[in-house]
């Protein structure tokens, strides 16, 4: 039955695909569409997108999602946007055309610039103001690179002829003609002061970025403009914007301080709501803006595991130990333990709390009886063990343990993994009924602003439990497994070319 109050359309603009989902008031999916778009790798370690291709792909899936939902554009009351974070788009103010390929968050081209800023003793200055590390991952040094490499672009920027934006900002420009972004996306750029909630002139001067290129920063639940009428046949307001991980935290209804979520995809992204306090990390976590609604800002601690579900792809594609990801669960359950085998999947270095880019993976503890099932089980355990390191770092910084972990992402389909996470972390792990939690978060932010949902409590009522995993491991075993894991990590980090 059609909802007389209409629907919310959510854009989920990811790194490899664009998705659009139409949600109803219960937070249920009424229709959706998804399309991949091209990736460009012009040099080793470089990753680019074509911003026009992102836009065309996003617009197409938005129209498809409305059609698949069987609703009219007139029934869409608001649009929410969530997006791949940190990716840099630079476009011409007059023509609206991108002046360079989008430089993707994964791109390492500004490594030398980061090293230079660190050598100048500026890391602490950036950390205090932005909550981030001086790593090529974040937007700022990607812009520095562009303005250093291309003097013509630099001149245009200094003349006020260019606009910079993360992907949300680019989509908002195309949709509404406004040059705006939200605080969560701004907080990933290395240029935004997360305490004052303003672009930081000192950091801009260190990075060599003219302030004229920057978008206006709005709250995450705000009036971002209305879509140009020709796009959907009518003007639709855009009322919610947040980076993908922050949107997922919101989509899980982690509204209160102390609530955390972990997304188990290719890698893991764990965020802990720390309330109105930007907690400084002593454990290599990032401090970031979770969202701003009205005048109230909420902060989060964030950590990431680089290789999570990817270790299962590796078992399947490289070692050929399994034929599919779901098979990993059956194989892991065929043995009572890993028989002493530990896998440290540091294929691209180790993330939080180690931040060791030079570490490489290892399989340790092999004995004559070690078999395929032990290796598969150890690989799954490594996902949870790395996540436990994140949770431990978070509770250390926050001063309190995480009480419940809300989980989403493709690898949550693996119940062995979810149970092992609950066991090794000593914390219940819960899965929501709705899988598209990131898109839902953006929809909630939009719907809150336009009155579709009246309050966070109204939204919380939508949260439906799919499954819950209670910790069920004795403390002695837990400590033994953790100690073995940490010794394996140390040994792995010791071994470097
Ligand atoms: P991303 O958004 O990063 O592309 P997804 O959330 O789509 O990731 O999850 C895909 C990842 O989850 C893959 O790395 C895959 O190996 C892993 N995965 C999917 N199903 C399972 C499963 N049943 N057991 C373990 N890992 C799984």
């Amino acid at each position: 039955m059609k909802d007389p109050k209409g629907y919310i359309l959510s854009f989920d603009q990811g790194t490899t695909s664009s998705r659009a989902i139409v949600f109803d008031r219960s937070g249920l999916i009424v229709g959706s569409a998804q399309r991949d778009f091209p990736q460009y790798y012009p040099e080793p370690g470089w990753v680019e997108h074509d911003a026009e291709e992102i836009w065309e792909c996003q617009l197409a899936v938005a129209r498809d999602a409305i059609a698949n939902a069987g609703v009219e554009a007139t029934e869409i009351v608001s649009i929410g946007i969530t997006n791949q974070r940190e990716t840099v788009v630079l476009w011409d103010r007059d023509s609206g055309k991108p002046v360079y390929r989008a430089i993707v968050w994964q791109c390492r081209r500004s490594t030398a610039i980061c090293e230079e800023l660190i050598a100048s003793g500026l890391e602490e200055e950036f950390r205090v103001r932005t909550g981030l590390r001086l790593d090529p991952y974040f937007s700022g040094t990607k812009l520095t690179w562009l303005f250093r490499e291309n003097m013509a672009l630099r001149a245009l920027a200094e003349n006020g002829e260019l606009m910079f934006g993360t992907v949300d900002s680019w989509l908002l420009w195309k949709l509404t003609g406004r040059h705006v972004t939200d605080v969560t996306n701004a907080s990933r750029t290395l240029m935004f002061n997360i305490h004052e909630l303003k672009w930081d002139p000192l950091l801009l001067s260190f990075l060599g970025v003219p302030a004229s290129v920057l978008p206006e920063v709005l709250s995450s639940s705000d009036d971002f403009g209305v879509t140009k009428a020709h796009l959907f046949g009518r003007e639709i307001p855009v009322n919610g914007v947040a980076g993908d991980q922050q949107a997922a935290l919101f989509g899980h209804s982690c509204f209160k301080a102390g609530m955390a979520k972990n997304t188990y995809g290719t890698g893991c992204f764990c965020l802990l709501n720390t309330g109105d306090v930007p907690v400084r990390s002593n454990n290599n976590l990032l401090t970031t803006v979770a969202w701003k609604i009205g005048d109230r800002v909420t902060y989060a601690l964030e950590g990431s595991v680089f290789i999570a579900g990817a270790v299962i792809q590796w078992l399947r594609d490289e070692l050929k130990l399994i034929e599919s990801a779901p098979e990993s669960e059956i194989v892991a359950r065929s043995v009572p333990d890993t028989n002493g085998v530990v896998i440290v999947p540091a294929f691209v270095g180790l993330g939080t709390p180690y931040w060791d880019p030079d570490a490489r993976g290892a399989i340790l503890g092999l004995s004559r009886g070690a078999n395929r099932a032990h290796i598969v089980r150890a690989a799954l355990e490594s996902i949870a063990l790395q996540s436990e390191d994140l949770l431990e770092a978070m509770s250390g910084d926050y001063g309190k343990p995480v009480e419940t972990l809300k989980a989403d992402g493709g690898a949550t389909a693996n119940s062995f993994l979810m149970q092992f996470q609950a066991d090794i972390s000593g914390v219940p792990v819960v899965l929501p009924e709705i899988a598209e939690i990131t898109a839902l978060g953006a929809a909630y932010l939009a719907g809150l602003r336009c009155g579709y949902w009246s309050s966070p409590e109204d939204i919380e009522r939508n949260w439906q439990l799919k499954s819950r995993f209670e910790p069920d491991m004795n403390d002695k075993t837990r400590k033994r497994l953790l100690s073995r894991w940490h010794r394996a990590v140390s040994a792995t980090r010791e071994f470097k070319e």
Side-chain angles (χ1 to χ4, degrees), residues 19 263-267 308-310 312-313 316 325-329 380 383 409-411 413-414 417:
R19 244 182 280 198
T263 301
Y264 296 81
T266 313
I312 304 305
Q313 291 168 292
R316 184 193 61 197
E327 195 193 344
S328 66
E329 176 162 0
L380 281 173
I383 301 174
N414 193 311
L417 170 63

Side-chain angles (χ1 to χ4, degrees), residues 244-256 259-264 269-271 273 291 404-409 412 418 429-442 444 456 459-465 467:
D244 51 10
Q245 300 311 320
Q246 285 94 333
L249 190 68
F250 203 77
H252 272 295
S253 298
C254 288
F255 300 143
K256 297 196 186 84
M259 296 178 92
K261 73 92 194 174
N262 196 13
T263 301
Y264 296 81
F269 281 96
C270 192
L271 266 76
N273 180 332
W291 49 76
T404 309
L405 184 63
K406 295 195 170 183
D408 64 290
T412 59
M418 294 296 100
V429 176
V430 296
L431 301 187
E433 195 57 61
I434 291 178
E436 299 294 347
I437 217 77
T438 307
L440 184 60
Y444 281 159
I459 286 173
E460 254 174 333
R461 277 194 282 277
N462 283 344
W463 206 88
Q464 282 189 28
L465 181 72
S467 32

Side-chain angles (χ1 to χ4, degrees), residues 265-268 304-315 318-319 341-352 354 356-364 375-389 417 420 484-486 488-493 495:
T266 313
C268 283
S304 52
V305 168
F306 297 150
I307 300 290
V311 72
I312 304 305
Q313 291 168 292
W314 174 72
L315 293 182
E318 309 303 328
L319 297 193
V341 176
V342 184
I343 298 185
V344 183
F347 301 156
V348 290
L350 286 167
T352 324
Y354 307 103
D356 187 347
D358 303 322
R360 287 298 173 265
I363 304 182
L364 298 97
I375 291 178
V376 171
R377 188 171 172 123
L380 281 173
E381 289 188 359
S382 77
I383 301 174
L385 285 158
Q386 293 180 93
S387 297
E388 162 56 14
D389 283 340
L417 170 63
F420 188 76
R484 190 172 68 187
W485 163 252
H486 289 130
V489 170
S490 301
T492 303
R493 296 183 67 194
F495 177 82

Side-chain angles (χ1 to χ4, degrees), residues 196-464:
E196 295 174 6
L197 301 174
K198 286 191 191 123
W199 298 115
D200 192 310
L202 185 68
L203 302 183
L204 291 174
S205 72
F206 292 150
L207 291 165
V209 173
S212 66
V213 301
L214 301 172
E216 182 188 349
V217 184
L218 304 182
S219 297
S220 322
S221 193
D222 212 327
D223 298 324
F224 292 89
V226 293
T227 59
K228 294 171 189 166
H230 71 275
L231 295 173
F232 298 103
R234 65 162 288 236
E235 293 179 343
I236 305 173
V238 184
N239 292 123
V241 176
D244 51 10
Q245 300 311 320
Q246 285 94 333
L249 190 68
F250 203 77
H252 272 295
S253 298
C254 288
F255 300 143
K256 297 196 186 84
M259 296 178 92
K261 73 92 194 174
N262 196 13
T263 301
Y264 296 81
T266 313
C268 283
F269 281 96
C270 192
L271 266 76
L272 169 72
N273 180 332
T274 62
D276 51 11
V277 191
V279 174
R280 188 196 157 108
S281 176
N282 295 316
N283 293 305
N284 283 329
L285 294 163
L286 306 173
T287 309
T288 203
V289 178
W291 49 76
K292 185 176 170 211
I293 298 178
D295 291 333
R296 274 196 73 182
V297 57
T298 299
Y299 292 92
L301 280 169
E302 172 176 327
S304 52
V305 168
F306 297 150
I307 300 290
V311 72
I312 304 305
Q313 291 168 292
W314 174 72
L315 293 182
R316 184 193 61 197
D317 302 339
E318 309 303 328
L319 297 193
K320 308 211 185 298
L321 291 186
I322 48 173
E323 280 185 5
S324 68
E327 195 193 344
S328 66
E329 176 162 0
I330 302 162
V331 177
R333 287 189 192 278
S334 72
V335 286
D337 55 38
T338 68
N339 194 10
V341 176
V342 184
I343 298 185
V344 183
F347 301 156
V348 290
L350 286 167
T352 324
Y354 307 103
W355 280 97
D356 187 347
D358 303 322
R360 287 298 173 265
I363 304 182
L364 298 97
L366 293 171
S367 57
R368 184 70 179 80
N371 64 28
R372 158 182 176 255
H374 298 130
I375 291 178
V376 171
R377 188 171 172 123
L380 281 173
E381 289 188 359
S382 77
I383 301 174
L385 285 158
Q386 293 180 93
S387 297
E388 162 56 14
D389 283 340
L390 287 186
L391 290 171
E392 184 63 25
M394 282 183 171
S395 46
D397 285 335
Y398 185 55
K400 279 187 230 159
V402 169
E403 280 172 25
T404 309
L405 184 63
K406 295 195 170 183
D408 64 290
T412 59
N414 193 311
S415 299
F416 168 81
L417 170 63
M418 294 296 100
Q419 183 59 50
F420 188 76
Q421 186 72 72
D423 288 344
I424 205 68
S425 300
V427 66
V429 176
V430 296
L431 301 187
E433 195 57 61
I434 291 178
E436 299 294 347
I437 217 77
T438 307
L440 184 60
Y444 281 159
L445 287 165
L448 267 183
R449 177 69 182 187
C450 69
Y452 188 74
W453 287 289
S454 59
S455 61
E457 293 71 35
D458 189 19
I459 286 173
E460 254 174 333
R461 277 194 282 277
N462 283 344
W463 206 88
Q464 282 189 28

